[in-house]
Amino acid sequence: MFMTYQNSTTEVKKKGLSRFIHFGKKIGHGVAAVGEGFYVVYRHQLYKHPNNPDNTRYVQWFCRRMCDVFNIEVRLYGAPAPREPALWVSNHVSWLDIPTLGSAARVFFLAKAEIQHWPVVGKLAKGGGTLFIQRGSGDSVRIRQQISDFLSRNIPVLFFPEATTSDGTAIKRIHGRLLGAALEAQKPVQVALICYVNQRGELDHVAPYVGDISFTEHVKQVLEMPRVTAHLMFLPRIDVDGHNIDSLTKEVQNLMANGLKELQQHVVKQPQA
């Protein structure tokens, strides 16, 4: 009885040590990736012209490094990621969507203006061309104008029209006010869809950032999770000619809902009948 208890205790200690070593390696890789990001920003002086569309290649490189750190394999479906300027929209499952999307598409992301003042992260995001927008109650008109200005200067922009994260099973209601930026700039809308699948072929339950979990705790869970495949599909572009905000919102809603169902049918293991 004593030997059994002792063996059990030893096994628990080994597992704890193994998790500690694994977590430590991931933290080390993450710190190294952030350091490399700062090196690229200053080596190529990206901070001088952070929203130069040519800089998206460096954003893409950094996003691929972060996918490696977080143990995410990205697989692409549908048409190749286009290079022409467009207003990009995607379903929103997690903060992991940013490195996932950025690893495959050369785009700039929108972020709240206050993030540029955050230690480390703010400077790296600013140097990498993140588009900071002033947000406030009922300020969608100002944000739309800012996005339209970016698009008019041929700067590709991506935002999440669901306005919140989901568990990835379905598309939530699309908020279409910011789609008006594409109408004002006369740029097409590019839809992207993400589906996170675990090693058992099921929708992953660790990657989604939902519920009451803190950001720090979720990062810890992600660093400890087994390899996850992020299936990413690009749909044909939507020409905005002949659209108004209502009709464009409806089309984006339908395309995203049907497209996600189609993607899941291809990549998620279906239960046996």
Side-chain angles (χ1 to χ4, degrees):
M1 183 72 177
F2 175 75
M3 290 297 294
T4 302
Y5 173 77
Q6 189 177 47
N7 290 341
S8 176
T9 303
T10 302
E11 188 66 26
V12 169
K13 288 182 177 179
K14 287 182 178 179
K15 288 182 179 179
L17 179 61
S18 177
R19 288 182 64 187
F20 178 79
I21 293 174
H22 172 79
F23 189 71
K25 286 182 178 179
K26 285 295 183 179
I27 292 293
H29 291 161
V31 171
V34 170
E36 291 170 6
F38 275 112
Y39 172 79
V40 168
V41 167
Y42 286 96
R43 170 66 176 81
H44 299 281
Q45 299 183 336
L46 305 186
Y47 56 88
K48 291 186 176 181
H49 305 285
N51 299 133
N52 183 342
D54 292 338
N55 293 352
T56 54
R57 57 179 173 167
Y58 300 110
V59 176
Q60 186 176 55
W61 168 85
F62 182 72
C63 287
R64 288 174 176 175
R65 285 287 287 114
M66 297 311 296
C67 283
D68 290 339
V69 170
F70 295 122
N71 214 15
I72 296 174
E73 177 187 0
V74 180
R75 295 185 183 177
L76 303 181
Y77 297 83
R83 296 289 180 86
E84 294 77 15
L87 178 60
W88 287 68
V89 295
S90 171
N91 61 318
H92 198 12
V93 182
S94 172
W95 51 270
L96 291 168
D97 300 343
I98 292 177
T100 295
L101 288 159
S103 71
R106 292 189 176 183
V107 295
F108 289 119
F109 296 91
L110 296 185
K112 296 180 294 183
E114 53 264 34
I115 290 178
Q116 64 184 312
H117 302 298
W118 289 6
V120 183
V121 174
K123 289 185 177 181
L124 186 60
K126 188 174 182 179
T130 298
L131 306 173
F132 297 103
I133 54 177
Q134 300 292 334
R135 301 183 67 176
S137 179
D139 205 25
S140 61
V141 173
R142 181 191 299 272
I143 297 173
R144 188 184 71 217
Q145 290 173 344
Q146 288 178 292
I147 297 174
S148 177
D149 179 59
F150 292 136
L151 294 173
S152 297
R153 290 186 280 141
N154 292 326
I155 298 174
V157 182
L158 185 146
F159 81 103
F160 301 104
E162 292 171 292
T164 186
T165 56
S166 73
D167 61 4
T169 58
I171 300 297
K172 291 187 173 184
R173 175 175 172 266
I174 296 300
H175 298 270
R177 290 182 180 178
L178 296 186
L179 293 173
L183 296 171
E184 293 176 7
Q186 282 298 291
K187 298 293 184 183
V189 175
Q190 175 64 58
V191 175
L193 295 164
I194 304 173
C195 180
Y196 295 98
V197 177
N198 62 28
Q199 295 178 358
R200 296 185 298 275
E202 305 164 340
L203 285 176
D204 189 70
H205 297 297
V206 177
Y209 183 41
V210 292
D212 296 328
I213 187 172
S214 69
F215 178 73
T216 301
E217 180 61 28
H218 191 247
V219 171
K220 182 176 180 292
Q221 290 185 8
V222 167
L223 290 172
E224 293 177 345
M225 74 180 181
R227 193 165 187 81
V228 165
T229 301
H231 299 276
L232 182 58
M233 182 167 72
F234 302 125
L235 301 184
R237 288 188 160 195
I238 303 173
D239 191 336
V240 299
D241 285 345
H243 275 294
N244 56 37
I245 290 182
D246 289 338
S247 65
L248 185 58
T249 300
K250 184 176 180 180
E251 181 164 356
V252 169
Q253 179 84 58
N254 291 337
L255 286 175
M256 292 184 71
N258 294 330
L260 184 61
K261 290 179 182 177
E262 178 185 344
L263 180 60
Q264 291 174 347
Q265 289 174 353
H266 280 87
V267 304
V268 178
K269 185 178 180 180
Q270 302 300 317
Q272 298 293 327

